[in-house]
Amino acid sequence: MLDLRQIRYFVAVAEAGNVGRAAEQLHISQSPLSRQIMQLEEQLGVTLFERAKQRVHLNAEGKAFLVEARALLANAARLEELGRNLASGAAGSLAIGYVEGAVHAGLIADMLRAFRRERPDFRLQLRSRRTAAQFEDLRQRVLDLGFVYAPAPKGDPDLDSMLVRREPLVLAMPEGDPLAGVADIRPGHLDGRVWITVVRQPDDTNRAQFLAACVEAGFVPDIAYETADPLTSLGLVSAGLGLATVQASLRSAAPAGVVFRDLPWFKRSVAIHLAWRRNDRRAVIGDLRKAVGSRD
């Protein structure tokens, strides 16, 4: 295998055209430099220079070798720079999981804008995953960070998390609904009405939590439609098929024909947490956690 030091010595002598002058530039003695060049030629099995009393000249083989030697040294310099950037967190790659609520809340876009300003050479992979799947992927090192709906399990030896956003749920209704003209909507207004809910599979808990919150508030919903995501629910609301509750940030993404009302007495919200591995000490992970911040 070639020695990069010998390659650097060869390029220096080739460019200087004189072993003594190259030795001065390299801050070494002339004799060791001459030995290194001869050892390189012996290893390659080819003569690279034509030697005169005071000067050396590249022969045809040496000229061809010089082109590749310069390219090799340039690649080695880029590799060295990459290594430093990886160590400092300025370059590399990350896999980040997310639930759709993090997208609706603008957390992903905000994070990416801030991240790109600080680390333009980093490669990011964004992967849509359910909360439980993200926890498992974090443990298996498939993910580096995850935006999830629930905090890391209490006392988990591998994972930690922090709350980064909590949003209230708002009532979505068709613009022609009789409740659209009611300023202060109370539980009695909602009792027995047709509802649209989001069901997340597998192991859905959203429907049960929604029903429990309705009963606690004092009304019983008639759940006629179940969807896979809140945007689909809003599409059904726009079509006049029922009512739905969605996180407040979805007001701006709603289709035409949907109006919203606050329900301050409804005890449900959408919480987004950022999760990571406890033993991940990389600077980039710490910086991302700080950038995302903790807001309740």
Side-chain angles (χ1 to χ4, degrees):
M1 183 175 294
L2 293 176
D3 185 335
L4 281 179
R5 182 183 59 175
Q6 289 180 333
I7 298 299
R8 291 191 182 95
Y9 289 173
F10 163 76
V11 171
V13 172
E15 292 177 346
N18 182 281
V19 175
R21 189 157 52 246
E24 291 177 4
Q25 294 170 356
L26 294 169
H27 305 291
I28 63 174
S29 300
Q30 183 172 338
S31 295
L33 178 58
S34 296
R35 286 197 299 271
Q36 290 292 331
I37 297 300
M38 293 178 62
Q39 289 175 7
L40 175 63
E41 290 177 320
E42 291 175 3
Q43 182 178 354
L44 296 173
V46 64
T47 300
L48 300 173
F49 292 97
E50 294 178 1
R51 293 167 170 83
K53 290 184 178 180
Q54 299 295 328
R55 296 185 59 82
V56 292
H57 302 278
L58 288 172
N59 57 23
E61 292 80 7
K63 291 176 181 178
F65 190 76
L66 177 62
V67 173
E68 296 300 325
R70 284 170 171 163
L72 176 61
L73 293 179
N75 286 332
R78 285 194 291 270
L79 184 61
E80 184 177 1
E81 182 180 5
L82 174 61
R84 287 195 296 267
N85 288 337
L86 288 171
S88 66
S93 65
L94 288 175
I96 301 174
Y98 66 90
V99 291
E100 75 270 11
V103 178
H104 302 326
L107 290 170
I108 302 298
D110 290 346
M111 178 197 70
L112 292 179
R113 278 193 292 268
F115 190 81
R116 281 299 177 205
R117 286 195 297 268
E118 299 297 327
R119 291 180 170 83
D121 297 327
F122 237 88
R123 183 167 60 92
L124 296 179
Q125 303 172 27
L126 300 177
R127 301 175 183 176
S128 176
R129 296 280 196 278
R130 302 297 189 199
T131 295
Q134 288 194 53
F135 287 153
E136 183 60 26
D137 285 349
L138 283 167
R139 291 189 179 92
Q140 298 299 323
R141 299 182 178 272
V142 175
L143 292 178
D144 298 292
L145 287 168
F147 288 93
V148 291
Y149 284 125
K154 189 175 182 179
D156 192 301
D158 302 317
L159 304 180
D160 202 354
S161 64
M162 67 179 182
L163 178 68
V164 295
R165 181 71 60 85
R166 186 184 298 277
E167 287 192 61
L169 293 183
V170 295
L171 177 67
M173 70 185 82
E175 61 182 0
D177 192 280
L179 290 178
V182 178
D184 184 18
I185 296 175
R186 308 306 301 171
H189 293 115
L190 305 177
D191 196 34
R193 292 293 305 270
V194 174
W195 284 80
I196 303 155
T197 64
V198 174
V199 174
R200 298 186 178 96
Q201 298 293 348
D203 303 325
D204 177 69
T205 60
N206 189 60
R207 190 178 193 275
Q209 292 171 354
F210 172 72
L211 284 171
C214 293
V215 171
E216 182 181 357
F219 70 95
V220 178
D222 176 12
I223 300 177
Y225 304 96
E226 295 179 341
T227 68
D229 63 85
L231 287 176
T232 302
S233 294
L234 288 176
L236 298 185
V237 172
S238 176
L241 297 177
L243 310 177
T245 55
V246 297
Q247 68 188 89
S249 57
L250 278 171
R251 293 178 191 261
S252 60
V258 178
V259 295
F260 296 91
R261 292 290 185 273
D262 294 331
L263 299 177
W265 44 264
F266 192 60
K267 304 303 181 183
R268 285 205 72 203
S269 61
V270 173
I272 307 296
H273 303 258
L274 183 67
W276 64 89
R277 287 186 298 278
R278 290 181 181 273
N279 63 356
D280 195 337
R281 307 298 185 189
R282 287 176 293 173
V284 65
I285 298 297
D287 290 347
L288 271 173
R289 286 163 46 192
K290 293 177 183 177
V292 172
S294 179
R295 288 178 287 181
D296 194 338

